[in-house]
Amino acid sequence: EIRREWIQRIIDHDGMGEDLGGIEAWIGLGQAVGLTREEVTSLKYVSPAARFAVDAYVNFARRVSWQEAIASSLTELFAPHIHQQRLDTWPEKYPWVDPEGMKYFKYRLTQARRDVQHGLEVTKAYFSRSRELQERALEILQFKLDVLWALADAIMLQQCEIEIKGPKG
């Protein structure tokens, strides 16, 4: 039952039929800000710190139980609000970005709400069985927040470097 519901996340990201999915929408966002498809998919501009943070999260999800991996997704509780802020403010702050590139955030508004609801149900059912498991859930969320902070720091550092050196320097 959980796998059947989880498959929707894969379809959301990979696409199906006419819907190209979130990965293509993310590439479209990169193109909307001026990168080529090849630059986005090559990961050429991904900073070592961002790559490290993402690899840490992927490795975490590989080595823990599926219930723990699902619990780590609960940081998405705040994603719909963040995506809405981006949709509301980007046109003003970044008028040169093609509005078509904002599809990724539009998709995630509803997808993240649904994903969080499912993740919360699974997490509550599994981790509510003992105090030890509840503390483990908090450790997992702290780890994921640390990953997200590391990503935010990497992005900020890269932005500072771009401002100093120029966009492709």
Side-chain angles (χ1 to χ4, degrees), residues 3-99:
R3 285 173 33 143
R4 283 189 196 102
E5 190 151 349
W6 195 265
I7 196 76
Q8 187 59 53
R9 287 183 185 223
I10 296 168
I11 292 168
D12 289 344
H13 293 289
D14 290 356
M16 180 179 268
E18 297 289 316
D19 178 10
L20 297 178
I23 294 170
E24 282 301 318
W26 183 257
I27 293 168
L29 175 59
Q31 292 172 313
V33 300
L35 297 172
T36 66
R37 179 181 189 82
E38 293 72 34
E39 287 172 323
V40 176
T41 59
S42 74
L43 308 178
K44 175 180 179 174
Y45 296 117
V46 176
S47 74
R51 190 179 306 265
F52 183 84
V54 170
D55 287 346
Y57 183 53
V58 169
N59 287 326
F60 167 83
R62 280 186 183 140
R63 68 176 176 76
V64 299
S65 70
W66 61 269
Q67 294 95 338
E68 291 175 309
I70 287 176
S72 72
S73 75
L74 292 183
T75 54
E76 283 192 298
L77 277 165
F78 308 102
H81 176 72
I82 293 166
H83 294 324
Q84 188 62 59
Q85 282 181 317
R86 289 175 178 144
L87 289 166
D88 293 341
T89 60
W90 276 36
E92 176 189 322
K93 293 184 182 204
Y94 309 102
W96 48 272
V97 175
D98 182 346

Side-chain angles (χ1 to χ4, degrees), residues 34-164:
L35 297 172
T36 66
R37 179 181 189 82
E38 293 72 34
E39 287 172 323
V40 176
T41 59
S42 74
L43 308 178
K44 175 180 179 174
Y45 296 117
V46 176
S47 74
R51 190 179 306 265
F52 183 84
V54 170
D55 287 346
Y57 183 53
V58 169
N59 287 326
F60 167 83
R62 280 186 183 140
R63 68 176 176 76
V64 299
S65 70
W66 61 269
Q67 294 95 338
E68 291 175 309
I70 287 176
S72 72
S73 75
L74 292 183
T75 54
E76 283 192 298
L77 277 165
F78 308 102
H81 176 72
I82 293 166
H83 294 324
Q84 188 62 59
Q85 282 181 317
R86 289 175 178 144
L87 289 166
D88 293 341
T89 60
W90 276 36
E92 176 189 322
K93 293 184 182 204
Y94 309 102
W96 48 272
V97 175
D98 182 346
E100 187 69 14
M102 301 304 285
K103 274 185 183 177
Y104 176 81
F105 300 119
K106 289 176 184 172
Y107 289 163
R108 291 303 299 156
L109 280 175
T110 55
Q111 292 169 353
R113 285 184 182 99
R114 182 200 60 226
D115 294 348
V116 163
Q117 185 59 40
H118 178 242
L120 196 54
E121 289 168 12
V122 170
T123 300
K124 286 179 2 185
Y126 181 79
F127 288 91
S128 66
R129 298 179 299 159
S130 73
R131 173 73 179 194
E132 183 180 77
L133 284 171
Q134 290 169 14
E135 288 176 9
R136 176 64 181 147
L138 292 174
E139 289 170 8
I140 290 166
L141 288 173
Q142 185 60 62
F143 167 76
K144 177 72 176 294
L145 290 171
D146 290 345
V147 167
L148 294 173
W149 275 113
L151 273 171
D153 289 349
I155 291 166
M156 183 64 74
L157 178 59
Q158 192 165 28
Q159 184 61 38
C160 291
E161 289 175 3
I162 289 170
E163 289 174 9
I164 292 168

